[in-house]
Amino acid sequence: MTTVTQQLDIAKIRRDFPILNETINGKPLVYLDNAATTQKPRQVLDALTGYYEHYNANIHRGIHHLAEKATSAFEASRRRIQAFLNARLSEEIIFTYGSTDGINLVAQAYGRAFLKAGDEIIISTMEHHSNIVPWQMLCEEKGCILKVIPISEEGELRMEEYEKLLSERTKFVSVVHVSNALGTINPVAQIVEKAHAVGAKVLLDGAQASSHLSIDVQALDCDFYVFSLHKLYGPTGMGVLYGKKELLDAMPPYRGGGEMIKEVTFEKTTYNELPYKFEAGTPNIADVVAARTALDYVDELGKEAIAEHEHQLLRYATDALEAIEGLRIIGRAKEKIGVLSFVMEGIHHQDIGVLLDQQGIAIRTGHHCTQPMMQRFGIPGTSRASFSVYNTMEEVDSLVRGLHKVKKMLG
Amino acid sequence: MSINEIQDELISDFELFDDWESKYEYIIDLGKQLPPLEEQYKTEENIIKGCQSRVWLHTYLEGDKLHFAADSDAIIVRGLVSMLVKVLSGHTPEAIAKADLYFLERIGLHQHLAQTRSNGLASMVKQMKHYAIAYQAVD
Ligand SMILES: Cc1ncc(COP(=O)(O)O)c(C=O)c1O
């Protein structure tokens, strides 16, 4: 297949991100912590202020002009996200605070209602704590059993081990689509298929995948999918849970309050229909509205073009970092997004982070909320550079120069 | 020397540096020079866990003076730990309990104390003060 992806004008894209003009310790900011959160383009910032300046109102309940305008912008965002994920129905899109919130919703609402003592839940060694702890809490409460798919030295899921874990006792599989600490892209369609073959439901944690890959929840056939807008050029505090309608319908509500009810009496309350059943209280209207702008921004640049650019950065950075003596890359999966985790012999990751920060270079150091995986690799943590559409080869050069300086200072 | 005299001395040491590199090279040197804490004191009880690095703090009384010995697995934190020990160790619990630590701010390193979750440094200072207050109460 030959795909001609148009070349992005990175200099022009950079002008969309006001924060990239910041100086840190007197040096131009080199922001390489995009897996933690991406920066926001002017268009998203304008959408946020535009909402507050022109049509801030509480939604769904008011009949005045502003309430109608806010409601329709809010629901337009839902349809936009439906299209982004290629979901069958817009009511399959539930707004949340983020990936963590979505996973907790499923663990609590689905797990409490449908899982019981002795049922097995499968996760993997490379999960973010957000996709470990909610399941542990559920296991503790219900007596379910947590099983963990091991990973290889390269940082890939050991699929043959996954298959061995699957049985008629397996009731739920929750795995990360793309690893935040390693960048590994997991074979999620295959994971879903195998889980379904034993009758288990599947949640995919798309926190890292959503900004780099095209996602088609119908093609993946996953039962639930979560992601966070703040990792996708959008606002913080806003995320998405996709769930198949028949499952969401069957699940009891998770939080009670306004919005999620049909009728309340002290004797009996009836619940609202999807998606409102899972959206108790006044939602995060401004951020939901601005999320649509973030997705438009991504689609205008084109996900393939973004992925291609990030891939070039990854290849270039991988070669450059490998040339540094004593540096070892953690995570060498064949399929990766633009995430580069590494350790340097005899140097603590915190020292790397502090000394790069002095040079204006922002990376992430530590366990990246994946402590069990760090234990798997026998390391306390890594340093991680993660790339986004606005990063440049020159910034990779700055990182390499910065690391040489770190080595010199600590050597 | 009093706690403040030691702090003032450190501040004037740092005035010699006009760029971040020499400043951090000095801290790294201090970190390297700090004698490692004996293994017997690197206990679970003495550990102060940060999100990024670990700090160990051992406290003991000699006469009426409270002494500290500390260590960390990251070298820059080790350098900072060494300064904190230098400033606070060997004084009476009263003096330590009421010490105002202004030197980190004055040499532009206060951000290392502010990042409470990423390193154990801020907790270490708190811990040192706690010990001082506890020993005061014993007297
Ligand atoms: C793989 C993965 N899952 C879950 C999360 C949690 O996302 P949030 O903090 O936005 O809820 C993250 C964020 O770091 C992540 O990288």
Side-chain angles (χ1 to χ4, degrees), chain A residues 27 348-351 354-355 358-359 365-367 405 409-411, chain B residues 20-21 24-25 28 32 52-53 73-77 111-112 119:
Chain A
K27 319 220 171 38
H348 194 281
H349 50 77
Q350 185 177 359
D351 293 322
V354 168
L355 294 177
Q358 287 298 314
Q359 305 173 63
T365 61
H367 52 61
K405 180 156 263 173
M409 290 180 75
L410 294 172
Chain B
W20 72 270
E21 279 135 299
Y24 275 87
E25 267 160 7
I28 290 163
K32 285 181 181 161
Q52 300 263 333
S53 54
D73 51 357
I75 195 80
I76 292 170
V77 172
Q111 80 270 22
H112 292 289
N119 64 53

Side-chain angles (χ1 to χ4, degrees), chain B residues 45 48 57 68 122-132:
Chain B
E45 203 173 300
I48 297 165
L57 176 67
F68 299 109
S123 320
M124 173 176 142
V125 172
K126 217 181 270 170
Q127 201 66 20
M128 288 166 127
K129 292 249 182 183
H130 272 316
Y131 277 121

Side-chain angles (χ1 to χ4, degrees), chain A residues 11-211:
Chain A
K12 179 164 169 285
I13 290 169
R14 287 181 71 82
R15 286 196 292 277
D16 288 336
F17 292 82
I19 205 168
L20 298 177
N21 297 321
E22 290 294 302
T23 54
I24 309 293
N25 296 314
K27 319 220 171 38
L29 167 66
V30 175
Y31 187 77
L32 299 176
D33 193 16
N34 294 288
T37 196
T38 59
Q39 300 303 343
K40 323 302 173 200
R42 166 67 61 205
Q43 291 84 334
V44 169
L45 305 178
D46 287 348
L48 279 171
T49 48
Y51 165 75
Y52 283 121
E53 285 178 6
H54 300 295
Y55 56 103
N56 172 49
N58 210 332
I59 54 167
H60 295 141
R61 309 168 233 205
I63 52 154
H64 54 78
H65 177 79
L66 292 185
E68 246 159 51
K69 190 163 176 194
T71 303
S72 86
F74 186 84
E75 291 305 327
S77 253
R78 199 187 302 276
R79 290 191 299 277
R80 184 68 185 82
I81 288 162
Q82 175 199 352
F84 187 78
L85 294 176
N86 191 33
R88 197 163 55 90
L89 304 162
S90 70
E91 65 257 42
E92 295 181 319
I93 304 301
I94 311 289
F95 293 129
T96 65
Y97 301 131
S99 309
T100 306
D101 192 33
I103 297 169
N104 276 283
L105 194 162
V106 175
Q108 291 298 311
Y110 183 87
R112 273 186 172 160
F114 298 109
L115 300 187
K116 53 183 195 311
D119 286 351
E120 294 180 359
I121 300 167
I122 297 181
I123 60 171
S124 86
T125 305
M126 66 171 84
E127 298 313 316
H128 189 281
H129 294 165
S130 295
N131 197 26
I132 302 175
V133 185
W135 301 112
Q136 285 177 325
M137 288 162 64
L138 181 70
C139 287
E140 218 157 88
E141 185 184 323
K142 305 278 295 192
C144 305
I145 299 153
L146 202 60
K147 298 272 172 175
V148 184
I149 311 167
I151 59 173
S152 69
E153 201 54 35
E154 282 70 43
E156 292 175 333
L157 289 181
R158 299 196 32 202
M159 292 297 282
E160 73 287 1
E161 297 297 323
Y162 169 54
E163 284 180 48
K164 282 188 217 157
L165 291 178
L166 286 167
S167 74
E168 72 282 0
R169 290 184 305 279
T170 310
K171 291 296 182 279
F172 209 96
V173 175
S174 191
V175 291
V176 72
H177 190 169
V178 170
S179 155
N180 63 309
L182 305 175
T184 310
I185 303 172
N186 287 321
V188 284
Q190 215 181 320
I191 290 171
V192 173
E193 196 189 325
K194 295 205 186 312
H196 284 172
V198 298
K201 303 291 181 237
V202 183
L203 179 147
L204 298 177
D205 171 1
Q208 295 295 334
S210 55
S211 50

